[in-house]
């Protein structure tokens, strides 16, 4: 029991540090005129980051999921990779999708705290563009670059989220800043 409590605390701290890193990158890139919600709740479910800037909404899930070593047997190795992908990127997609649907449907987004107390209501119709981003510490390589390999979208006309490793996100945003 004691080991499980320590593991849970470690995962929570690691996740919070990852979220803070993502927020710092976005804040440095967009400079001003943005609004941030971190560790907020929508429909009773915890979400990581909502970053609002001008008419853009960035729905971000930070995943500190550790990938397991691949197995030597190809059949078993693929199952392990598929399961890890589902637990990280797949789960991140379902989390971002929950919020993204509010923007797609143009309905009021109620941001609450853990106890269900209203923090803010957001008029999603004020945002012309919304982006789902899943930031993870590790990379899934090719299957992360082509999400259609393993990620099933809810509807055929949905757009895939951007699944990106934290280091790659940082390089991308720093390069954009340098331009």
């Amino acid at each position: 029991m004691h080991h499980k409590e320590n593991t849970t605390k470690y995962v929570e701290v690691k996740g919070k540090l990852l979220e803070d890193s993502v927020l710092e990158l976005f804040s440095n890139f967009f400079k001003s005129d943005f609004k941030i919600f971190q560790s907020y709740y929508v429909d009773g479910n915890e979400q990581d980051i909502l970053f609002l800037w001008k008419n853009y909404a960035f729905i971000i899930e930070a995943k500190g999921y550790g990938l397991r070593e691949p197995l030597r047997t190809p059949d078993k190795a693929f199952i392990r990779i598929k399961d890890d992908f589902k637990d990280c990127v797949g789960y991140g997609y379902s989390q971002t999708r929950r919020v993204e649907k509010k923007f797609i449907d143009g309905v009021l987004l109620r941001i609450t705290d853990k106890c269900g107390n209203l923090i803010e209501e957001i008029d999603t119709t004020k945002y012309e563009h919304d982006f789902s981003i899943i930031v993870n510490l590790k990379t899934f390589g090719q299957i992360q670059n082509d999400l259609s390999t393993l990620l099933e979208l809810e509807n055929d006309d949905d757009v895939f989220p951007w699944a990106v490793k934290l280091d790659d996100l940082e390089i991308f945003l720093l390069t954009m800043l340098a331009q």
Side-chain angles (χ1 to χ4, degrees), residues 78-93:
F78 180 72
I79 290 169
R80 179 174 277 186
I81 290 167
K82 188 176 169 184
D83 288 347
D84 286 351
F85 181 86
K86 180 182 168 198
D87 290 345
C88 181
V89 176
Y91 182 57
Y93 169 68

Side-chain angles (χ1 to χ4, degrees), residues 26-123:
F26 269 76
S27 300
N28 289 339
F29 181 77
F30 289 105
K31 306 268 188 249
S32 62
D33 300 327
F34 56 79
K35 185 168 232 172
I36 298 170
F37 297 94
Q38 183 179 10
S39 299
Y40 64 101
Y41 287 75
V42 171
D43 300 334
N45 298 292
E46 186 178 10
Q47 305 290 143
D48 288 345
I49 301 167
L50 178 61
F51 193 95
L52 304 173
W53 177 72
K54 297 187 179 182
N55 62 346
Y56 298 92
F58 298 91
I59 306 155
I60 305 167
E61 286 297 323
K63 298 290 169 208
Y65 192 86
L67 303 178
R68 297 175 293 174
E69 277 295 312
L71 299 168
R72 292 186 186 270
T73 309
D75 291 341
K76 291 180 181 177
F78 180 72
I79 290 169
R80 179 174 277 186
I81 290 167
K82 188 176 169 184
D83 288 347
D84 286 351
F85 181 86
K86 180 182 168 198
D87 290 345
C88 181
V89 176
Y91 182 57
Y93 169 68
S94 67
Q95 289 177 296
T96 61
R97 183 72 180 151
R98 183 181 306 123
V99 177
E100 183 184 36
K101 281 169 118 173
K102 306 281 187 191
F103 286 90
I104 291 169
D105 296 341
V107 298
L108 205 58
L109 175 60
R110 293 179 44 87
I111 305 280
T112 64
D113 65 12
K114 184 167 40 176
C115 299
N117 300 313
L118 184 65
I119 295 172
E120 191 164 332
E121 288 184 329
I122 297 167
D123 179 358

